[in-house]
Amino acid sequence: MSNESLANLLKEERRFAPPADLAANANVTAEAYEQAAADRLGFWAEQARRLSWAKEPTKTLDWSNPPFAKWFEDGQLNVAYNCVDRHVEAGNGDRVAIHFEGEPGDSRSITYAELKDEVSRAANALLELGVRKGDRVAIYMPMIPETAIAMLASARIGAAHSVVFGGFSADALATRIKDADAKVVITADGGYRRGQPSALKPAVDDAVAKAAGTVEHVLVVRRTGQDVAFDAERDVWWDELVGRQSAEHTPEAFDAEHPLFILYTSGTTGKPKGILHTSGGYLTQTAYTHWAVFDLKPETDVYWCTADVGWVTGHSYIVYGPLANGATQVMYEGTPDTPHQGRFWEIVEKYRVSILYTAPTAIRTFMKWGDDIPAQFDLTSLRVLGSVGEPINPEAWVWYRKNIGADRTPVVDTWWQTETGAMMISPLPGVTETKPGSAQRPLPGISATVVDDEANEVPDGGGGYLVLTEPWPSMLRTIWGDDQRFLDTYWSRFEGKYFAGDGAKKDDDGDIWLLGRVDDVMLVSGHNISTTEVESALVSHPAVAEAAVVGAADDTTGQAIVAFVILRGSAAEDEKLVAELRDHVGATLGPIAKPKRVLPVAELPKTRSGKIMRRLLRDVAENRQLGDVTTLTDSTVMTLIQSKLPSSSSED
Ligand code: ATP
Ligand code: MG
């Protein structure tokens, strides 16, 4: 970004008060903000008491060597015990922990008592394979219960896991195995994806060979039953090894700062970073935020997070947060359109899901498919809707609330990152009057603000860089094996503050609006303009389902705004519509934000976690060789988009 702060263009006046019944019984009231502001560390010390500690911490935060934080340093706990055993000991062993729904329609419900047995068996199996406290275990799996069990089993014996999303290539897996020096890889023969069994084991064989040397064993879950190569020395079947273990395993207590996992960021902006999370602080904040932001009532709610366990959302809000809270949740293996485009809503209806957590990319896809699809299902069980992963366009937010939430349920837009480990900025459903498209306010105990180039806090109504000004319990501890990169990436831009890499603005009430990556901010005729705001203006036109905007080098204006749009089902793609869309943005945001070109496309380049990769579109718009495409879902998309470019432009 240049020295001028981000222009504040988007005006969004719609407001939604919390439903009275929810507010009356909410887990968290407005007092939490005051309490945490008065004594931030005292607030987190109190939240840490949600957990069962083998040794209670007496210290909350050691910040004597910033930015290397230690939280609850002298406390000891076992994370898996907290997520499983203690619920059984409290008499809730019969409560369902996971309702698993396979893509082909198979299903299976696992109680907390059963989960305890399975995790204990898997922990004993890892011990038999030679895994010890301090080792690393790589996990490359489909979305099945064994994935969560494998993570908890590693945690239970003090081995850090490194989950690699099952859609990644053998090369990506090899790099991650090598970077973390994994001793064991846990995988499956395959998983179901878009109606087909899709193999995983061959990629593991390939990756283990490439990583050369560190992996001693590969533990293989039978999921699809497809034929896979098997190395009798190295490979073991899960059902054979885990199946014959004892269901008794006594959890050992580890230090609060013992490593829990390494997870690589989704790679939207460049080479993924191996983010290290530790135990006590991470579990405290994931448990607290999951309970507070979703108003979780573990006895009655059915919770469903549609993310893959391979992303941080799956770590914090499928495995650790919900299970630490003793929640009942749905886990779904497949895609939203298999076997039909109503699959998600069918699942909500079947399990009476009450809390749904999904991503803007999915919501925009549902908008594109049409309102009539969710309308065919009974969604009345829903009471809180969440969003995460990208800025949510106001129109998508309103669509979500109206078509999924019957215009009744609060929508909580949660801002956070792999690095933050847990939610940081979000409304609270029983407290906040929500604004479509805004994550609004740092959660109790969290200090975030927006600063300008000189690190000065911007006034209300101003825009700039999102920073976190105080340490938080679930913060990353470093980049695995690379403290220097940790310092350079997050702590060098603004002294003493964590720089998130995202642009943001504060509205006149002081609420925070996320405006996308700072790398994506455009500089047009001397004005910094956020891609998010122009995209949101485009999505507010009835013909547009999804939009991606970039700034391309331009002789007269410095950068010119180029927009790629996916049209809704019925819209006709012609010159007239393109002109109309350009005018619509001009009318919504002002003439400065009017795109120079609008290009209707069939698909947009996205990461495997569904985020738009604007840097590739910028390469296309500037006629450059494409940058790194390894985290892209489908590289043929780029060829299609490139072929569109020369002919469909429209210029003043
Ligand atoms: P990389 O850092 O490798 O480029 P990534 O940033 O996509 O990958 P994640 O940690 O999965 O990896 O994503 C965090 C980012 O996602 C945030 O920095 C932000 O840009 C975006 N994000 C997540 N939630 C929200 C939200 N509610 N509103 C706006 N942006 C969000
Ligand atoms: Mg990032």
Side-chain angles (χ1 to χ4, degrees), residues 41 55 82 101 192 209 213 222 247 338 341 399 417 440 488 588 605 621 643:
L41 295 182
K55 180 167 175 283
N82 271 276
E101 185 76 17
Y192 292 96
R222 256 187 259 264
T338 306
Q341 294 179 337
W399 185 92
Q417 313 176 293
Q440 295 188 266
D488 294 345
T588 314
S643 71

Side-chain angles (χ1 to χ4, degrees), residues 389-504:
E390 287 181 292
I392 179 165
N393 316 104
E395 230 39 65
W397 191 107
V398 168
W399 185 92
Y400 190 28
R401 179 182 156 103
K402 180 161 177 267
N403 291 278
I404 308 304
D407 241 333
R408 171 179 47 81
T409 59
V411 173
V412 287
D413 173 20
T414 62
W415 179 87
W416 59 293
Q417 313 176 293
T418 308
E419 294 88 339
T420 69
M423 297 168 184
M424 302 294 282
I425 308 177
S426 169
L428 288 173
V431 178
T432 317
E433 180 180 340
T434 50
K435 302 175 177 178
S438 175
Q440 295 188 266
R441 205 173 155 183
L443 287 166
I446 299 300
S447 309
T449 191
V450 182
V451 297
D452 64 18
D453 267 305
E454 275 77 52
N456 301 311
E457 202 167 327
V458 303
D460 289 351
Y465 306 88
L466 183 73
V467 292
L468 304 171
T469 53
E470 297 287 351
W472 63 100
S474 63
M475 67 196 286
L476 76 166
R477 298 307 194 254
T478 189
I479 292 180
W480 181 254
D482 202 345
D483 286 348
Q484 194 56 47
R485 192 174 177 205
F486 169 63
L487 296 170
D488 294 345
T489 310
Y490 308 107
W491 301 95
S492 65
R493 180 69 181 78
F494 302 106
E495 212 197 315
K497 297 184 175 76
Y498 172 91
F499 172 45
D502 287 342

Side-chain angles (χ1 to χ4, degrees), residues 265-269 273 389-391 413-414 417-418 502 517 611:
T265 56
S266 32
T268 312
T269 52
K273 306 167 274 285
E390 287 181 292
D413 173 20
T414 62
Q417 313 176 293
T418 308
D502 287 342
R517 322 278 176 157
K611 299 178 197 223

Side-chain angles (χ1 to χ4, degrees), residues 123 156 290 303 330 334 372 386 437 449 457 488 506 545 571 580 632:
R156 193 175 183 97
H290 180 257
Y303 165 80
V330 172
D372 52 317
T449 191
E457 202 167 327
D488 294 345
K506 284 200 230 162
E580 192 181 311
L632 198 64

Side-chain angles (χ1 to χ4, degrees), residues 237-252:
W237 287 110
W238 174 286
D239 51 337
E240 287 170 13
L241 180 70
V242 177
R244 67 173 152 76
Q245 303 294 321
S246 155
E248 295 301 323
H249 175 271
T250 309
E252 184 188 335

